[in-house]
Structures are given as C-alpha cells and as structure tokens.
Amino acid sequence: MAEEKFTAIIIGAGPAGSTAAYLLAQAGLEVLLIEKGPTPGSKNMFGGRMYSHALNRIIPNFWEEAPVERPVVREVITFMTEDKSVSLVCQDEKWANQPYHSFTLLRAEFDAWLASKAEEAGALLACGVRVDDLLIDNGRVVGVRAGEDEMLADVVIAADGVNSLMAQKAGLRKELEPRQVATGVKEVIELPPEIISQRFQVSGNNGVAQLFVGSCTKGMQGGGFLYTNKNSISLGLVVKAAELQRSSYRLVDMMEDFKAHPHIAPLVEGGQVVEYSAHLVPEAGLEMMPRLYGDGILVTGDAAGFVLNLGYQVRGMDFAIASGEAAAKAVKEAKARNDFSQQTLRLYEDFLKQSFVLRDMEAYRQAPHFLENERLFGAYPDLATGLVSKMFTVDGTAPVHLLNKFMGQLKESRIGWLQLAGDALKGGRTL
Ligand SMILES: Cc1cc2nc3c(=O)[nH]c(=O)nc-3n(C[C@H](O)[C@H](O)[C@H](O)COP(=O)(O)OP(=O)(O)OC[C@H]3O[C@@H](n4cnc5c(N)ncnc54)[C@H](O)[C@@H]3O)c2cc1C
C-alpha cells in the first residue's frame, strides 16, 4: 500500500545516489534514499582511488572531514611478464598539495560518510531495503515497491549501480552483455602504516596508485591494480567478462598467481588479508549508455555506464558524483516547473553535457574499442620488459646497440613494424 509521497526517491546510496540526495535535500526537497545494504557502502567495492575534482566542487575541502585514506602523490604503471617487470613512475609535488588531486579510499567508510551528509541535509535514508520494482502508471514512473511497501515520488533516480535492474524495468536499458563489462576482484591486505610508506617510498601519509598490464591477466584484456591505504593495501585484478568466460582461468587463481609474482610478493609480504570482494565494472563507454531519462525517472552513475578505463586512468567515482549532481539540477528544475515528465527531465542530459561527464565520455568514445587489441596485454608487455631487461644485462656477450636491441625484441615479441606504427598512432589518438 502506498504511504508517503516524496519529491525524489533515489535507489542506491553509492556516490551517485548520495550526491543527488545531498544536493536535493539541501535545496529543501523531500528525498528518500534507499540502500539495500545494511549500511551505505557495505556492499560496494572499487579499486581504490577517487579523483577529487567532482566532489571538491560540491563539498569544498571534503578531505578535511571525509574518511579518505591517502592522497596519491606517486603514479606507477608496470608492464609485467611471468618473470620480468618494468615500471614507469611519476611523482608530482603538486598532487601532494591542496587541492589534492586524488585520494585512496575504502568504500564502506567513504560511502557511509557521503550518505550521512545527505541525511544531515535532510534526506531520509532507509538501509537494508531492496527496491524490487518500479511503480509505473500510464508509462510514467510514480514510485517504487520494496517487498510489501509502495512509496510514491514525483521522480525516481536509478543510482543502483552497474546491473541497474531499475533502468531495465523502466525500459531505458537492456540486460548487460559480457562484452560490456569486466569482472574485478580485490583483496584488502593489512600492513602497518610505516611499512607501507617505506615499501612504496612515500613520506608521511602520502599514497601510491599502481596499475599493471600483462601476465597478471594471462594476456586477457584487463589489468591489475594496487592502491596504498593508511594501514592496508588494496590489490586486485579486472578482466573483461567475455574473455574470462571463454578462458579456462578462474579469477581467484589468477589473484593467487598475481600475489606470488616477484614484483608483488615483496610488496604484500607479512600482510594479512582482511577483506575479499568482487564486482562488475561497466567498460563499454558511450556504446552502453542507456536512455538517461523517461517520464518520472533518471539514470545516474554506473547504472548509466559512466566509467572510463583508459589503462592508465580508471574513473567512475568522479563520474558518479557529477552525474548525481546533474540529476539533482534537473530535478530542481522539474520541481520549479512542476513538471516531472521527460520534457523537463531531458535537461539532465544537457547538464551532463555542460559538466565533464558526457564531454569526457565522448572524448574517449573509441578507447574501449582500442583496448580490445590483444597485443596490449601480451606482446607489448613482453616488448617493454624484454627490451629494458636487455639494456641492463651485462654478461660478456658482444655489445648490441639500442636500435638493434629494439629490432631484435620486436621480432621476439612477434610485433610487426606496421602493427607497431598503427597501434601507436591509434593509441595516441584514442587514449
Ligand atoms: C574492480 C573495480 C575497480 C574500480 N576502480 C575504480 C577506481 O579506482 N576509481 C574510480 O573512480 N572508480 C573505480 N571503479 C568504478 C566505481 O566503483 C564506480 O564507478 C562507482 O562506484 C559508481 O557509483 P554508483 O553510485 O553509480 O554505483 P555503486 O557504487 O555501485 O552504488 C550503487 C548502490 O545501489 C545499491 N543498490 C543496488 N540495487 C539496489 C536496489 N534494488 N535497492 C536498493 N539499493 C540498491 C547498491 O547496494 C549500492 O550501494 C571501480 C569499479 C570496480 C568494480
């Protein structure tokens, strides 16, 4: 039976949902934020780093009160084979200064904090409640059903993550296909803070973000990640779901191999695994973007496929927050016009275009296609590690100049000149 009516019901207290709830409640609207987990964030996982810009615009200097782990000051990209690795390291002092560029986070704490901001602003937060269905009247979404309870709203915001059953129920999106998503696994490995700072060569509470390409995914599309938290390391793998389905590998075994790799083993030595989680990541970019609005409904964050994985940058949190913000703007405008039909809610798409969300998704439209190139995950890590290893090898054999070393390694890694030139050009243009 329908009980109360809200201006907005938001499904999911992840970063997209809580941001929308916070901004709408701040504007004095009646907001219900529904989360199926026992607390916000309890069911959520990600690799480990949020770029700060989106949230800093909404809550300036949020890090002074938010449960962030470490500001990232050192970026590392590592190409690896079974027995070699070569890394590109970048440290930039400005990342360690305010406004901070990015932070490592643990979602259970961070999501709970962001949802509490929405509550403080006046939103009603209902945890441990799973929305089962949308209430639809004459093609217009008018509320939600959770078990026996029906709740009415002028507008529903689907912020229910990558699977978004709600966007599907509204007819805005089809079921996910394995080629559109990757599967991620992560371990949180506890270590004393001073050991983390020593091992990763950072001072104080500064942090490191490291991405891995190559043998960690057995040549399949995907990669590894490592983020340093205050007193733990987030370590994991992400592999394209369609490739994983076709292969005989199991992610759990790949994770064990990854941890045993000579590059990784010393970094996690003596650590204790305190958490293991798995989750899907939307990876097809704009190609998988659903219709973003309908009568009485908007779709935000992962539910809309707003994630960018460029191999050297993984972004979803800043997109989720900015799309939650754009949804809140559209709802405020709808409230002002007293029109929650798609005629007004279509403004959401305009706000997304004005923000970085659709601009960046559009700029990297071709990236998911480029990253399907299998050479990136086998032949190129082999080329990079083989060449650099040869540069540093002195064993009494006749000298070989760099160009010849490079040519020899190209051949060993089975990469043709034309392929190399084509991939370099395409990569430079798309990433
Ligand atoms: C392995 C992995 C690594 C990643 N690494 C990074 C990274 O390093 N940096 C980065 O920026 N992004 C990263 N991402 C992406 C990032 O996690 C997402 O883009 C972001 O969490 C999206 O936020 P969201 O609010 O849209 O969805 P979510 O965070 O998924 O939140 C959805 C919420 O909805 C709730 N919910 C779902 N269905 C219902 C229902 N029916 N009723 C009630 N509640 C419901 C869920 O419990 C959840 O709390 C990673 C993702 C994965 C999986």
Side-chain angles (χ1 to χ4, degrees):
M1 217 186 81
E3 289 163 2
E4 285 176 75
K5 181 161 180 193
F6 297 86
T7 306
I9 292 180
I10 298 163
I11 308 169
S18 290
T19 302
Y22 170 68
L23 292 169
L24 288 172
Q26 237 186 9
L29 273 56
E30 288 180 323
V31 180
L32 174 63
L33 175 61
I34 305 181
E35 168 55 46
K36 69 179 174 186
T39 53
S42 54
K43 295 200 168 228
N44 299 346
M45 76 87 106
F46 81 144
R49 174 254 292 279
M50 179 183 76
Y51 291 99
S52 307
H53 63 123
L55 188 55
N56 194 35
R57 244 196 3 254
I58 298 168
I59 306 176
N61 295 0
F62 67 87
W63 52 84
E64 287 170 1
E65 55 170 313
V68 293
E69 293 288 319
R70 294 179 183 240
V72 175
V73 304
R74 175 183 277 243
E75 302 278 349
V76 188
I77 295 185
T78 300
F79 295 95
M80 65 191 341
T81 58
E82 295 296 342
D83 59 349
K84 296 189 204 64
S85 63
V86 58
S87 297
L88 178 71
V89 182
C90 180
Q91 190 150 342
D92 188 332
E93 278 312 299
K94 74 171 177 291
W95 296 333
N97 298 328
Q98 295 195 18
Y100 294 106
H101 178 236
S102 67
F103 286 95
T104 57
L105 304 172
L106 293 166
R107 294 288 300 274
E109 286 87 21
F110 180 79
D111 288 14
W113 169 79
L114 195 53
S116 77
K117 294 295 290 180
E119 258 189 308
E120 273 170 30
L124 194 61
L125 172 66
C127 287
V129 178
R130 195 187 71 200
V131 173
D132 297 312
D133 213 343
L134 296 174
L135 301 177
I136 297 177
D137 183 19
N138 267 330
R140 201 201 124 108
V141 176
V142 293
V144 302
R145 187 176 61 72
E148 300 288 293
D149 294 325
E150 293 186 348
M151 287 150 278
L152 299 178
D154 292 321
V155 63
V156 170
I157 300 180
D160 52 339
V162 55
N163 285 311
S164 193
L165 295 178
M166 295 307 136
Q168 283 178 48
K169 284 179 190 289
L172 300 175
R173 199 180 108 166
K174 296 200 186 107
E175 229 175 282
L176 286 177
E177 295 173 36
R179 67 183 181 84
Q180 296 177 320
V181 287
T183 310
V185 285
K186 169 170 128 173
E187 287 185 5
V188 177
I189 302 169
E190 243 173 38
L191 278 167
E194 57 286 358
I195 298 234
I196 293 177
S197 299
Q198 258 169 30
R199 278 187 194 173
F200 291 90
Q201 298 167 13
V202 283
S203 55
N205 191 45
N206 286 339
V208 174
Q210 186 163 2
L211 296 174
F212 301 84
V213 193
S215 62
C216 55
T217 57
K218 313 291 181 196
M220 289 183 279
Q221 187 183 338
F225 57 82
L226 185 158
Y227 298 96
T228 59
N229 306 311
K230 275 190 182 122
N231 61 354
S232 64
I233 287 171
S234 296
L235 182 75
L237 292 173
V238 174
V239 184
K240 188 74 167 263
E243 292 209 36
L244 202 56
Q245 267 183 356
R246 284 195 294 267
S247 86
S248 55
Y249 292 109
R250 293 183 330 145
L251 255 181
V252 52
D253 300 328
M254 289 164 65
M255 189 67 195
E256 286 310 309
D257 290 352
F258 186 40
K259 278 166 69 180
H261 190 279
H263 186 110
I264 301 293
L267 297 177
V268 297
E269 193 186 334
Q272 199 195 344
V273 178
V274 290
E275 199 183 301
Y276 186 90
S277 52
H279 208 279
L280 291 179
V281 200
E283 290 228 316
L286 275 187
E287 185 221 288
M288 70 184 292
M289 190 176 84
R291 194 148 180 262
L292 296 169
Y293 55 87
D295 288 324
I297 186 163
L298 295 172
V299 186
T300 60
D302 273 17
F306 293 147
V307 170
L308 266 186
N309 179 356
L310 301 180
Y312 59 94
Q313 273 177 14
V314 181
R315 293 171 58 190
M317 298 284 286
D318 55 336
F319 283 101
I321 287 165
S323 63
E325 183 186 19
K329 278 188 188 166
V331 170
K332 282 192 257 178
E333 189 57 39
K335 178 77 181 170
R337 296 184 193 179
N338 196 24
D339 172 20
F340 293 88
S341 74
Q342 49 184 310
Q343 287 306 105
T344 299
L345 291 181
R346 57 171 287 287
L347 284 173
Y348 171 48
E349 197 163 310
D350 296 342
F351 292 135
L352 287 170
K353 282 181 185 149
Q354 287 159 22
S355 83
F356 65 87
V357 176
L358 284 181
R359 180 200 66 192
D360 293 10
M361 295 294 293
E362 182 62 46
Y364 294 113
R365 179 188 273 277
Q366 299 301 331
H369 179 58
F370 175 72
L371 292 173
E372 281 167 3
N373 180 346
E374 62 183 23
R375 284 187 289 280
L376 298 175
F377 307 96
Y380 287 124
D382 194 61
L383 173 68
T385 53
L387 179 65
V388 178
S389 164
K390 284 190 177 100
M391 281 168 60
F392 291 117
T393 301
V394 177
D395 58 3
T397 56
V400 179
H401 289 118
L402 275 180
L403 182 62
N404 289 340
K405 276 197 175 82
F406 181 66
M407 305 274 273
Q409 189 59 48
L410 261 188
K411 207 165 166 194
E412 250 180 65
S413 303
R414 299 209 177 97
I415 303 171
W417 271 109
L418 280 180
Q419 284 173 331
L420 180 70
D423 290 344
L425 198 65
K426 217 167 162 191
R429 282 186 175 151
T430 52
L431 295 182

